[in-house]
């Protein structure tokens, strides 16, 4: 998807001539409301899709416990959970439950799915945030450099680097990082979110946020904080590199576009320095499509998080998803997948609103 | 795309210069040509490896012993086992070569399926319009926004409950990937169809009395599918990454049925912690190089199709000799 979105969004958004200057304020509120309402059909479609797809295979209880129980016991459990009723009845019941925030209980370890989501969601959020920071730190400066030196050898190297970022699966990048920095050089830990002591200290806090770094800083435990940071580096780099390539290409394409505009030439003729032209005049307007694509990257990032978390035993939603997949616990899988879909839908909404705030032309 | 644009005055160039890759090559220059050629070479190596895997690989992908007894486990690269052996005793070199075959099969099936379905849906949706169009667009957008790997996982649960045989596994992986890609083809073709529907030649076909099916199949299809070779190359690489991701999570093909790079990497993960590098590095490098090759070809084709991105040959210095 990285490449496709990059191509599709390479150009600045087309101006829609509907919004006129006089109605600008009103049209923004209207856009906000319409865009907000659009979240619901998206989520509804995804919930429906996942529900029916998962049910096509049969009931979750047979899938999870099939080999372990006798047919009679199975039938009993299925009847008790209501999986013997017509699928449509189950579907509407599930919709009602999801609407009230009840995702059911996992079959393998009998926990509320919402509890699983709350416990492990923070870890995934932390990983996603860290890797986004890495991606921006690498993508933006190198993208600017690549645009400035267009078609010269540094540009060629950076472009191949960007494609390499995309071409390397996160789990392979993770494996290489583990090998080099964890095993051979011995600089960084290769698995988990924190060492045993730090993890104990952080999880026994009162009202932990679940985001280890925040918790460590809040409780003033500097040893734990540095331990957490050390554990966070490799996973964040592995996942961050994946998106860094996309940002690099995006910044490059857009800045090349804006560098050729008349106002940049006008700035140059007034004696504005080349550095300032690049980082202010050409860069600012190029940001809008970057923000839009950043939203689209969330889907890629979450998909990548599943793989990264498995690679680094980072106990987040993705790690649990893989565990539940292996255990064939489809109630848990369904819950996690639906939650991730909701996150994607909401992020896209927020990103669209930010884009509209920056650029009045995209409001309609 | 430039390949289908007739040259001025209807005088067409010879056929071979109008073939997709050849024409791109002739258009390219400098760095861009280098990237295109590098991509073509990598892709060719990938295809040849897939084709010649039975000849090139010294052992079968699930072979654990030969005349001299059982293979050693976790043997470092050496004479007999060029790239070492895995924890279960598979020869890494052979499995990496065989993996190319699995990859090609999945890519081809997945991309052909999704082009087929995506194009048909896009044509119908764009041409007929109305509520059908609206429903399909909303559906496609919802699926497009979904993390593609998650969707592929859900699909592979549906199709095969996870593990499966060689062809079953290939089909399951391919169909899972198909579902992810359909929205992309759908959007491209639908947009083109909506645009073409308003063109005079469609109207004239209607006046002549051509049926809707004929108009869709002849007039619109021919014009709307020009950008497909490009999407094909770009999606091929994504299909491979999705396949590897599925395999890595254990939703691929059983190791005794076929070699699959993602699955091998999953097994190599625990090796890496103890410093055994050869089980992971080789299949991983195979994925990277293949995706790199396919992407370079796709990228170059994309850049060359767009005159603004195409690099021009430096003008030959004229008059240099005259003044000298």
């Amino acid at each position: 998807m990285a490449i496709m979105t990059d191509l599709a969004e390479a150009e600045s958004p087309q101006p829609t001539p509907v919004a006129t200057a006089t109605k600008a304020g009103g049209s923004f509120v209207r856009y906000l409301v319409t865009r907000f309402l659009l979240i619901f059909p998206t989520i509804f479609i995804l919930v429906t899709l996942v529900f029916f797809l998962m049910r096509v295979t049969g009931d979750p209880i047979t899938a999870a416990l099939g080999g372990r129980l006798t047919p009679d016991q199975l039938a009993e459990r299925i009847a008790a959970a209501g999986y013997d009723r017509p699928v449509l009845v189950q579907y509407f019941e599930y919709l009602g439950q999801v609407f009230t925030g009840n995702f059911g209980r996992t079959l393998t370890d009998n926990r509320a799915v919402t509890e699983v989501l709350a416990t492990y969601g923070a870890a995934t959020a932390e990983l996603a945030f860290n890797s986004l920071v890495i991606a921006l730190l690498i993508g933006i400066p190198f993208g600017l450099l690549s645009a400035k030196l267009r078609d010269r050898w540094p540009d060629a190297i950076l472009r191949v680097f960007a494609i390499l970022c995309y071409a390397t699966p996160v789990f392979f990048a993770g494996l290489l990082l583990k090998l080099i920095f964890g095993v051979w050089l011995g600089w960084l830990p290769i698995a988990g979110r924190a060492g045993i002591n730090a993890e104990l200290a952080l999880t026994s806090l009162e009202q932990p946020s679940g985001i280890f770094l925040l918790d460590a800083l809040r409780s003033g435990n500097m040893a734990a904080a540095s331990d957490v940071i050390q554990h966070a580096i490799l996973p964040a780099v592995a996942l961050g590199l994946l998106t860094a390539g996309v940002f690099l290409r995006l910044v490059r394409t857009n800045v090349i576009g804006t560098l050729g505009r008349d106002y940049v030439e006008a700035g140059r003729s007034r004696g504005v320095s080349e550095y300032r032209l690049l980082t202010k005049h050409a860069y600012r307007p190029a940001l809008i499509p970057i923000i839009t694509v950043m939203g689209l990257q969330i889907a890629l990032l979450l998909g990548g998080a599943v793989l990264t978390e498995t690679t680094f035993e980072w106990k987040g939603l993705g790690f649990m998803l893989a565990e539940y997949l292996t255990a064939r616990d489809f109630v848990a899988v369904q819950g996690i997948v639906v939650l991730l879909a909701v996150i994607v839908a909401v992020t896209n909404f927020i990103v669209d609103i930010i884009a509209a705030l920056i650029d009045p032309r995209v409001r309609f | 795309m430039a390949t289908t644009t007739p040259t001025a005055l209807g005088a067409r160039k010879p056929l071979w210069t109008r073939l997709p890759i050849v024409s791109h090559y002739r258009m390219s220059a400098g760095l861009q040509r280098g990237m295109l050629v590098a991509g073509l070479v990598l892709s060719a190596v990938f295809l040849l490896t897939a084709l010649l895997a039975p000849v090139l690989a010294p052992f079968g992908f699930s072979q654990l012993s030969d005349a001299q007894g059982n293979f050693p486990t976790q043997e470092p690269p050496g004479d007999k086992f060029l790239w070492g052996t895995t924890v279960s005793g598979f020869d890494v070199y052979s499995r990496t070569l065989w993996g190319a075959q699995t990859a090609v099969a999945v890519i081809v099936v997945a991309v052909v399926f999704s082009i087929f379905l995506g194009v048909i849906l896009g044509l119908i949706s764009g041409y007929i319009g109305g509520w059908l169009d609206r429903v399909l667009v909303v559906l496609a957008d919802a699926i497009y926004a979904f993390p593609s790997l998650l969707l592929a996982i859900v699909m592979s649960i549906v199709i095969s409950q996870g593990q499966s045989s060689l062809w079953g596994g290939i089909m399951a992986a391919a169909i899972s990937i198909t579902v992810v890609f359909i929205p992309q083809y759908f959007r491209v073709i639908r947009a083109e169809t909506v645009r073409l529907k308003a063109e005079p030649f469609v109207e004239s076909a209607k006046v002549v009395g051509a049926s809707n099916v004929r108009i869709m199949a002849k007039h619109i299809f021919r014009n709307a599918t020009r950008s497909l070779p490009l999407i094909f190359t770009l999606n091929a690489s994504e299909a491979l990454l999705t396949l590897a991701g599925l395999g890595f999570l254990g939703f691929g093909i059983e190791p005794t049925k076929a070699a699959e790079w993602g699955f091998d990497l999953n097994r190599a993960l625990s090796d890496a912690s103890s410093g055994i590098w050869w089980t992971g590095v080789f299949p991983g490098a195979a994925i990277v190089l293949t995706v790199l090759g396919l992407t370079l070809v796709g990228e170059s084709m994309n850049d060359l199709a767009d005159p603004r991105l195409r690099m021009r040959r430096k003008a030959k210095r004229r008059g240099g000799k005259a003044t000298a």
Side-chain angles (χ1 to χ4, degrees), chain A residues 1 7 45-46 53 57 156 159 171 183 249 321 328 330 337 340-341 344, chain B residues 31 138 145-146 150 153 157-158 161 234 238 248 265 272 277 284 299 302-303:
Chain A
M1 197 145 304
L7 291 176
I45 289 171
L46 291 176
L53 283 177
T57 52
R159 286 177 71 186
F171 45 89
V183 180
R249 295 155 46 92
L321 180 70
R328 302 281 178 271
F330 293 154
V337 168
L340 293 178
V344 171
Chain B
L31 200 65
V138 171
F146 203 70
L150 291 187
I153 291 172
I157 293 176
V158 173
Q161 298 268 335
L234 291 181
E238 211 191 313
F248 180 74
L265 273 169
W277 55 272
E299 288 277 290
N302 178 54
D303 285 2

mmCIF file of all heavy atoms in Angstrom, chain A residues 1 7 45-46 53 57 156 159 171 183 249 321 328 330 337 340-341 344, chain B residues 31 138 145-146 150 153 157-158 161 234 238 248 265 272 277 284 299 302-303:
data_model
loop_
_atom_site.group_PDB
_atom_site.id
_atom_site.type_symbol
_atom_site.label_atom_id
_atom_site.label_comp_id
_atom_site.label_asym_id
_atom_site.label_seq_id
_atom_site.Cartn_x
_atom_site.Cartn_y
_atom_site.Cartn_z
ATOM 1 N N MET A 1 0.821 -1.204 0.000
ATOM 2 C CA MET A 1 0.000 0.000 0.000
ATOM 3 C C MET A 1 0.852 1.250 0.000
ATOM 4 O O MET A 1 0.468 2.270 -0.533
ATOM 5 C CB MET A 1 -0.878 -0.003 1.231
ATOM 6 C CG MET A 1 -2.022 0.955 1.104
ATOM 7 S SD MET A 1 -3.476 0.339 1.908
ATOM 8 C CE MET A 1 -3.723 -1.209 1.139
ATOM 9 N N LEU A 7 1.755 7.197 -4.739
ATOM 10 C CA LEU A 7 1.477 7.663 -6.093
ATOM 11 C C LEU A 7 0.209 8.490 -6.118
ATOM 12 O O LEU A 7 0.145 9.545 -6.734
ATOM 13 C CB LEU A 7 1.311 6.471 -7.033
ATOM 14 C CG LEU A 7 2.580 5.684 -7.296
ATOM 15 C CD1 LEU A 7 2.265 4.487 -8.160
ATOM 16 C CD2 LEU A 7 3.590 6.583 -7.971
ATOM 17 N N ILE A 45 -19.636 -1.292 8.425
ATOM 18 C CA ILE A 45 -19.291 -2.225 7.348
ATOM 19 C C ILE A 45 -18.191 -3.183 7.809
ATOM 20 O O ILE A 45 -18.269 -4.391 7.605
ATOM 21 C CB ILE A 45 -18.834 -1.460 6.092
ATOM 22 C CG1 ILE A 45 -20.035 -0.760 5.452
ATOM 23 C CG2 ILE A 45 -18.193 -2.401 5.083
ATOM 24 C CD1 ILE A 45 -19.634 0.184 4.354
ATOM 25 N N LEU A 46 -17.186 -2.637 8.470
ATOM 26 C CA LEU A 46 -16.065 -3.481 8.881
ATOM 27 C C LEU A 46 -16.503 -4.510 9.919
ATOM 28 O O LEU A 46 -16.131 -5.683 9.831
ATOM 29 C CB LEU A 46 -14.929 -2.617 9.426
ATOM 30 C CG LEU A 46 -14.232 -1.774 8.360
ATOM 31 C CD1 LEU A 46 -13.186 -0.873 8.977
ATOM 32 C CD2 LEU A 46 -13.589 -2.669 7.313
ATOM 33 N N LEU A 53 -17.471 -12.998 7.942
ATOM 34 C CA LEU A 53 -16.329 -13.786 7.459
ATOM 35 C C LEU A 53 -15.920 -14.821 8.495
ATOM 36 O O LEU A 53 -15.653 -15.972 8.165
ATOM 37 C CB LEU A 53 -15.152 -12.861 7.139
ATOM 38 C CG LEU A 53 -15.271 -12.093 5.832
ATOM 39 C CD1 LEU A 53 -14.084 -11.164 5.654
ATOM 40 C CD2 LEU A 53 -15.342 -13.057 4.656
ATOM 41 N N THR A 57 -16.744 -19.878 8.716
ATOM 42 C CA THR A 57 -15.943 -21.064 9.000
ATOM 43 C C THR A 57 -16.593 -21.985 10.015
ATOM 44 O O THR A 57 -16.123 -23.082 10.244
ATOM 45 C CB THR A 57 -14.587 -20.645 9.586
ATOM 46 O OG1 THR A 57 -14.854 -19.766 10.676
ATOM 47 C CG2 THR A 57 -13.756 -19.949 8.563
ATOM 48 N N ALA A 156 19.857 9.539 -5.649
ATOM 49 C CA ALA A 156 19.728 8.152 -6.098
ATOM 50 C C ALA A 156 19.858 7.200 -4.926
ATOM 51 O O ALA A 156 19.053 6.274 -4.768
ATOM 52 C CB ALA A 156 20.790 7.850 -7.158
ATOM 53 N N ARG A 159 16.806 7.405 -2.697
ATOM 54 C CA ARG A 159 15.614 6.785 -3.290
ATOM 55 C C ARG A 159 15.694 5.273 -3.187
ATOM 56 O O ARG A 159 14.707 4.614 -2.889
ATOM 57 C CB ARG A 159 15.469 7.216 -4.743
ATOM 58 C CG ARG A 159 15.000 8.642 -4.866
ATOM 59 C CD ARG A 159 14.925 9.075 -6.295
ATOM 60 N NE ARG A 159 13.820 8.438 -6.993
ATOM 61 C CZ ARG A 159 13.620 8.581 -8.295
ATOM 62 N NH1 ARG A 159 14.441 9.314 -9.010
ATOM 63 N NH2 ARG A 159 12.610 8.004 -8.869
ATOM 64 N N PHE A 171 9.587 -7.892 9.934
ATOM 65 C CA PHE A 171 10.138 -8.961 10.763
ATOM 66 C C PHE A 171 11.551 -9.320 10.344
ATOM 67 O O PHE A 171 12.352 -9.767 11.156
ATOM 68 C CB PHE A 171 9.241 -10.199 10.769
ATOM 69 C CG PHE A 171 8.726 -10.616 9.422
ATOM 70 C CD1 PHE A 171 9.439 -11.478 8.631
ATOM 71 C CD2 PHE A 171 7.513 -10.131 8.969
ATOM 72 C CE1 PHE A 171 8.950 -11.865 7.399
ATOM 73 C CE2 PHE A 171 7.018 -10.510 7.736
ATOM 74 C CZ PHE A 171 7.739 -11.376 6.945
ATOM 75 N N VAL A 183 22.642 -9.366 19.578
ATOM 76 C CA VAL A 183 23.454 -10.560 19.811
ATOM 77 C C VAL A 183 24.936 -10.286 19.584
ATOM 78 O O VAL A 183 25.770 -10.556 20.435
ATOM 79 C CB VAL A 183 22.970 -11.714 18.919
ATOM 80 C CG1 VAL A 183 23.809 -12.954 19.151
ATOM 81 C CG2 VAL A 183 21.504 -12.013 19.201
ATOM 82 N N ARG A 249 9.927 9.541 0.399
ATOM 83 C CA ARG A 249 9.504 9.701 -0.994
ATOM 84 C C ARG A 249 8.459 10.787 -1.124
ATOM 85 O O ARG A 249 8.458 11.563 -2.086
ATOM 86 C CB ARG A 249 8.944 8.390 -1.512
ATOM 87 C CG ARG A 249 9.975 7.292 -1.590
ATOM 88 C CD ARG A 249 9.316 5.955 -1.512
ATOM 89 N NE ARG A 249 8.161 5.903 -2.374
ATOM 90 C CZ ARG A 249 8.214 5.482 -3.621
ATOM 91 N NH1 ARG A 249 9.344 5.062 -4.122
ATOM 92 N NH2 ARG A 249 7.143 5.477 -4.363
ATOM 93 N N LEU A 321 -2.829 -10.741 19.330
ATOM 94 C CA LEU A 321 -3.575 -11.193 18.150
ATOM 95 C C LEU A 321 -2.936 -12.450 17.578
ATOM 96 O O LEU A 321 -3.612 -13.440 17.303
ATOM 97 C CB LEU A 321 -3.609 -10.089 17.093
ATOM 98 C CG LEU A 321 -4.360 -10.418 15.810
ATOM 99 C CD1 LEU A 321 -5.850 -10.504 16.077
ATOM 100 C CD2 LEU A 321 -4.099 -9.381 14.737
ATOM 101 N N ARG A 328 -6.503 -20.290 17.889
ATOM 102 C CA ARG A 328 -7.802 -20.336 17.217
ATOM 103 C C ARG A 328 -8.920 -19.757 18.082
ATOM 104 O O ARG A 328 -10.045 -20.231 18.050
ATOM 105 C CB ARG A 328 -8.171 -21.774 16.823
ATOM 106 C CG ARG A 328 -7.167 -22.455 15.917
ATOM 107 C CD ARG A 328 -7.346 -22.005 14.486
ATOM 108 N NE ARG A 328 -6.371 -22.607 13.599
ATOM 109 C CZ ARG A 328 -5.172 -22.071 13.351
ATOM 110 N NH1 ARG A 328 -4.825 -20.936 13.906
ATOM 111 N NH2 ARG A 328 -4.337 -22.654 12.529
ATOM 112 N N PHE A 330 -11.265 -17.224 18.118
ATOM 113 C CA PHE A 330 -11.721 -16.237 17.149
ATOM 114 C C PHE A 330 -12.569 -15.144 17.773
ATOM 115 O O PHE A 330 -12.759 -14.095 17.171
ATOM 116 C CB PHE A 330 -12.455 -16.932 16.005
ATOM 117 C CG PHE A 330 -11.524 -17.784 15.179
ATOM 118 C CD1 PHE A 330 -11.981 -18.879 14.473
ATOM 119 C CD2 PHE A 330 -10.174 -17.490 15.121
ATOM 120 C CE1 PHE A 330 -11.109 -19.664 13.721
ATOM 121 C CE2 PHE A 330 -9.299 -18.269 14.374
ATOM 122 C CZ PHE A 330 -9.769 -19.356 13.674
ATOM 123 N N VAL A 337 -9.490 -7.242 16.010
ATOM 124 C CA VAL A 337 -9.567 -6.736 14.636
ATOM 125 C C VAL A 337 -10.561 -5.581 14.545
ATOM 126 O O VAL A 337 -10.283 -4.546 13.937
ATOM 127 C CB VAL A 337 -9.956 -7.878 13.671
ATOM 128 C CG1 VAL A 337 -10.322 -7.326 12.315
ATOM 129 C CG2 VAL A 337 -8.806 -8.859 13.537
ATOM 130 N N LEU A 340 -9.033 -2.459 16.052
ATOM 131 C CA LEU A 340 -8.038 -1.848 15.165
ATOM 132 C C LEU A 340 -8.729 -1.118 14.022
ATOM 133 O O LEU A 340 -8.314 -0.026 13.624
ATOM 134 C CB LEU A 340 -7.078 -2.917 14.633
ATOM 135 C CG LEU A 340 -6.156 -3.551 15.679
ATOM 136 C CD1 LEU A 340 -5.284 -4.615 15.061
ATOM 137 C CD2 LEU A 340 -5.289 -2.497 16.344
ATOM 138 N N ALA A 341 -9.814 -1.709 13.509
ATOM 139 C CA ALA A 341 -10.553 -1.058 12.426
ATOM 140 C C ALA A 341 -11.127 0.271 12.896
ATOM 141 O O ALA A 341 -11.081 1.277 12.177
ATOM 142 C CB ALA A 341 -11.670 -1.970 11.934
ATOM 143 N N VAL A 344 -8.412 2.831 13.038
ATOM 144 C CA VAL A 344 -8.075 3.345 11.709
ATOM 145 C C VAL A 344 -9.115 4.356 11.244
ATOM 146 O O VAL A 344 -8.776 5.436 10.750
ATOM 147 C CB VAL A 344 -7.955 2.179 10.705
ATOM 148 C CG1 VAL A 344 -7.825 2.712 9.301
ATOM 149 C CG2 VAL A 344 -6.761 1.323 11.049
ATOM 150 N N LEU B 31 20.257 7.765 -14.783
ATOM 151 C CA LEU B 31 19.953 7.097 -13.531
ATOM 152 C C LEU B 31 18.691 6.253 -13.646
ATOM 153 O O LEU B 31 18.612 5.126 -13.157
ATOM 154 C CB LEU B 31 19.751 8.179 -12.482
ATOM 155 C CG LEU B 31 19.886 7.741 -11.050
ATOM 156 C CD1 LEU B 31 21.302 7.305 -10.804
ATOM 157 C CD2 LEU B 31 19.514 8.900 -10.149
ATOM 158 N N VAL B 138 -18.591 2.611 -1.308
ATOM 159 C CA VAL B 138 -18.471 2.666 0.151
ATOM 160 C C VAL B 138 -17.784 1.396 0.660
ATOM 161 O O VAL B 138 -16.876 1.445 1.498
ATOM 162 C CB VAL B 138 -19.858 2.839 0.804
ATOM 163 C CG1 VAL B 138 -19.750 2.665 2.313
ATOM 164 C CG2 VAL B 138 -20.417 4.204 0.486
ATOM 165 N N ALA B 145 -9.476 1.004 3.699
ATOM 166 C CA ALA B 145 -8.967 1.642 4.909
ATOM 167 C C ALA B 145 -8.507 0.614 5.941
ATOM 168 O O ALA B 145 -7.821 0.945 6.882
ATOM 169 C CB ALA B 145 -10.044 2.536 5.524
ATOM 170 N N PHE B 146 -8.886 -0.620 5.755
ATOM 171 C CA PHE B 146 -8.592 -1.678 6.715
ATOM 172 C C PHE B 146 -7.131 -2.102 6.590
ATOM 173 O O PHE B 146 -6.634 -2.218 5.477
ATOM 174 C CB PHE B 146 -9.509 -2.844 6.369
ATOM 175 C CG PHE B 146 -9.751 -3.785 7.495
ATOM 176 C CD1 PHE B 146 -10.520 -3.389 8.569
ATOM 177 C CD2 PHE B 146 -9.254 -5.058 7.467
ATOM 178 C CE1 PHE B 146 -10.774 -4.257 9.595
ATOM 179 C CE2 PHE B 146 -9.503 -5.933 8.494
ATOM 180 C CZ PHE B 146 -10.269 -5.535 9.563
ATOM 181 N N LEU B 150 -4.318 -7.569 8.305
ATOM 182 C CA LEU B 150 -5.394 -8.103 9.138
ATOM 183 C C LEU B 150 -6.468 -8.738 8.272
ATOM 184 O O LEU B 150 -6.986 -9.814 8.565
ATOM 185 C CB LEU B 150 -6.014 -6.997 9.978
ATOM 186 C CG LEU B 150 -5.149 -6.409 11.088
ATOM 187 C CD1 LEU B 150 -5.953 -5.449 11.928
ATOM 188 C CD2 LEU B 150 -4.603 -7.519 11.951
ATOM 189 N N ILE B 153 -5.346 -11.973 7.058
ATOM 190 C CA ILE B 153 -5.407 -12.990 8.113
ATOM 191 C C ILE B 153 -6.829 -13.521 8.247
ATOM 192 O O ILE B 153 -7.060 -14.731 8.247
ATOM 193 C CB ILE B 153 -4.950 -12.395 9.467
ATOM 194 C CG1 ILE B 153 -3.457 -12.086 9.437
ATOM 195 C CG2 ILE B 153 -5.263 -13.346 10.602
ATOM 196 C CD1 ILE B 153 -2.973 -11.329 10.652
ATOM 197 N N ILE B 157 -8.147 -17.352 7.540
ATOM 198 C CA ILE B 157 -8.885 -18.166 8.507
ATOM 199 C C ILE B 157 -10.122 -18.733 7.822
ATOM 200 O O ILE B 157 -10.446 -19.915 7.933
ATOM 201 C CB ILE B 157 -9.327 -17.317 9.716
ATOM 202 C CG1 ILE B 157 -8.123 -16.871 10.523
ATOM 203 C CG2 ILE B 157 -10.285 -18.113 10.592
ATOM 204 C CD1 ILE B 157 -8.482 -15.961 11.674
ATOM 205 N N VAL B 158 -10.817 -17.850 7.093
ATOM 206 C CA VAL B 158 -12.045 -18.263 6.430
ATOM 207 C C VAL B 158 -11.769 -19.399 5.451
ATOM 208 O O VAL B 158 -12.473 -20.410 5.422
ATOM 209 C CB VAL B 158 -12.664 -17.071 5.660
ATOM 210 C CG1 VAL B 158 -13.850 -17.539 4.837
ATOM 211 C CG2 VAL B 158 -13.074 -15.996 6.625
ATOM 212 N N GLN B 161 -8.790 -22.202 7.522
ATOM 213 C CA GLN B 161 -8.593 -22.384 8.965
ATOM 214 C C GLN B 161 -7.099 -22.398 9.291
ATOM 215 O O GLN B 161 -6.655 -23.097 10.189
ATOM 216 C CB GLN B 161 -9.222 -23.697 9.420
ATOM 217 C CG GLN B 161 -10.702 -23.775 9.218
ATOM 218 C CD GLN B 161 -11.458 -23.310 10.457
ATOM 219 O OE1 GLN B 161 -10.959 -23.352 11.560
ATOM 220 N NE2 GLN B 161 -12.664 -22.847 10.271
ATOM 221 N N LEU B 234 3.480 -3.106 -9.249
ATOM 222 C CA LEU B 234 3.522 -2.604 -7.876
ATOM 223 C C LEU B 234 2.829 -3.582 -6.932
ATOM 224 O O LEU B 234 3.287 -3.823 -5.827
ATOM 225 C CB LEU B 234 2.859 -1.231 -7.795
ATOM 226 C CG LEU B 234 3.629 -0.115 -8.491
ATOM 227 C CD1 LEU B 234 2.911 1.201 -8.337
ATOM 228 C CD2 LEU B 234 5.034 0.002 -7.933
ATOM 229 N N GLU B 238 3.716 -6.129 -3.381
ATOM 230 C CA GLU B 238 2.930 -6.111 -2.151
ATOM 231 C C GLU B 238 2.352 -7.486 -1.858
ATOM 232 O O GLU B 238 2.242 -7.897 -0.695
ATOM 233 C CB GLU B 238 1.823 -5.072 -2.240
ATOM 234 C CG GLU B 238 1.522 -4.502 -0.877
ATOM 235 C CD GLU B 238 0.262 -3.678 -0.877
ATOM 236 O OE1 GLU B 238 0.114 -2.853 -1.783
ATOM 237 O OE2 GLU B 238 -0.566 -3.884 0.019
ATOM 238 N N PHE B 248 4.803 -15.656 8.166
ATOM 239 C CA PHE B 248 5.512 -15.341 9.401
ATOM 240 C C PHE B 248 4.606 -15.546 10.604
ATOM 241 O O PHE B 248 5.046 -15.982 11.660
ATOM 242 C CB PHE B 248 6.017 -13.905 9.356
ATOM 243 C CG PHE B 248 6.764 -13.484 10.580
ATOM 244 C CD1 PHE B 248 8.043 -13.931 10.809
ATOM 245 C CD2 PHE B 248 6.176 -12.652 11.517
ATOM 246 C CE1 PHE B 248 8.733 -13.560 11.943
ATOM 247 C CE2 PHE B 248 6.861 -12.273 12.655
ATOM 248 C CZ PHE B 248 8.147 -12.730 12.868
ATOM 249 N N LEU B 265 11.412 -17.489 8.071
ATOM 250 C CA LEU B 265 11.868 -16.387 8.918
ATOM 251 C C LEU B 265 11.296 -16.512 10.318
ATOM 252 O O LEU B 265 11.956 -16.197 11.304
ATOM 253 C CB LEU B 265 11.463 -15.053 8.295
ATOM 254 C CG LEU B 265 12.467 -14.521 7.294
ATOM 255 C CD1 LEU B 265 11.886 -13.359 6.526
ATOM 256 C CD2 LEU B 265 13.713 -14.064 8.031
ATOM 257 N N ALA B 272 18.033 -16.490 15.847
ATOM 258 C CA ALA B 272 18.755 -15.219 15.877
ATOM 259 C C ALA B 272 19.199 -14.878 17.295
ATOM 260 O O ALA B 272 20.287 -14.351 17.503
ATOM 261 C CB ALA B 272 17.876 -14.111 15.311
ATOM 262 N N TRP B 277 22.729 -16.970 12.329
ATOM 263 C CA TRP B 277 22.235 -15.955 11.393
ATOM 264 C C TRP B 277 21.775 -16.543 10.078
ATOM 265 O O TRP B 277 20.924 -15.995 9.406
ATOM 266 C CB TRP B 277 23.333 -14.918 11.122
ATOM 267 C CG TRP B 277 24.619 -15.533 10.639
ATOM 268 C CD1 TRP B 277 25.631 -15.985 11.407
ATOM 269 C CD2 TRP B 277 25.004 -15.797 9.292
ATOM 270 N NE1 TRP B 277 26.630 -16.505 10.635
ATOM 271 C CE2 TRP B 277 26.272 -16.404 9.325
ATOM 272 C CE3 TRP B 277 24.399 -15.562 8.046
ATOM 273 C CZ2 TRP B 277 26.945 -16.792 8.172
ATOM 274 C CZ3 TRP B 277 25.064 -15.949 6.894
ATOM 275 C CH2 TRP B 277 26.329 -16.566 6.969
ATOM 276 N N GLY B 284 15.310 -13.996 4.126
ATOM 277 C CA GLY B 284 14.972 -12.586 4.242
ATOM 278 C C GLY B 284 15.533 -11.782 3.089
ATOM 279 O O GLY B 284 14.834 -10.969 2.479
ATOM 280 N N GLU B 299 8.259 1.277 -10.368
ATOM 281 C CA GLU B 299 8.566 2.694 -10.186
ATOM 282 C C GLU B 299 9.050 3.333 -11.474
ATOM 283 O O GLU B 299 8.599 4.399 -11.855
ATOM 284 C CB GLU B 299 9.703 2.820 -9.179
ATOM 285 C CG GLU B 299 9.326 2.529 -7.796
ATOM 286 C CD GLU B 299 8.727 3.751 -7.192
ATOM 287 O OE1 GLU B 299 9.451 4.711 -6.965
ATOM 288 O OE2 GLU B 299 7.507 3.738 -6.984
ATOM 289 N N ASN B 302 6.372 3.785 -13.903
ATOM 290 C CA ASN B 302 5.513 4.890 -13.496
ATOM 291 C C ASN B 302 6.147 6.230 -13.847
ATOM 292 O O ASN B 302 5.516 7.106 -14.435
ATOM 293 C CB ASN B 302 5.268 4.804 -11.990
ATOM 294 C CG ASN B 302 4.433 5.950 -11.490
ATOM 295 O OD1 ASN B 302 3.344 6.187 -12.005
ATOM 296 N ND2 ASN B 302 4.946 6.672 -10.531
ATOM 297 N N ASP B 303 7.416 6.385 -13.494
ATOM 298 C CA ASP B 303 8.096 7.650 -13.767
ATOM 299 C C ASP B 303 8.177 7.918 -15.262
ATOM 300 O O ASP B 303 8.015 9.045 -15.717
ATOM 301 C CB ASP B 303 9.514 7.627 -13.182
ATOM 302 C CG ASP B 303 9.479 7.795 -11.674
ATOM 303 O OD1 ASP B 303 8.360 7.887 -11.146
ATOM 304 O OD2 ASP B 303 10.548 7.811 -11.059
#
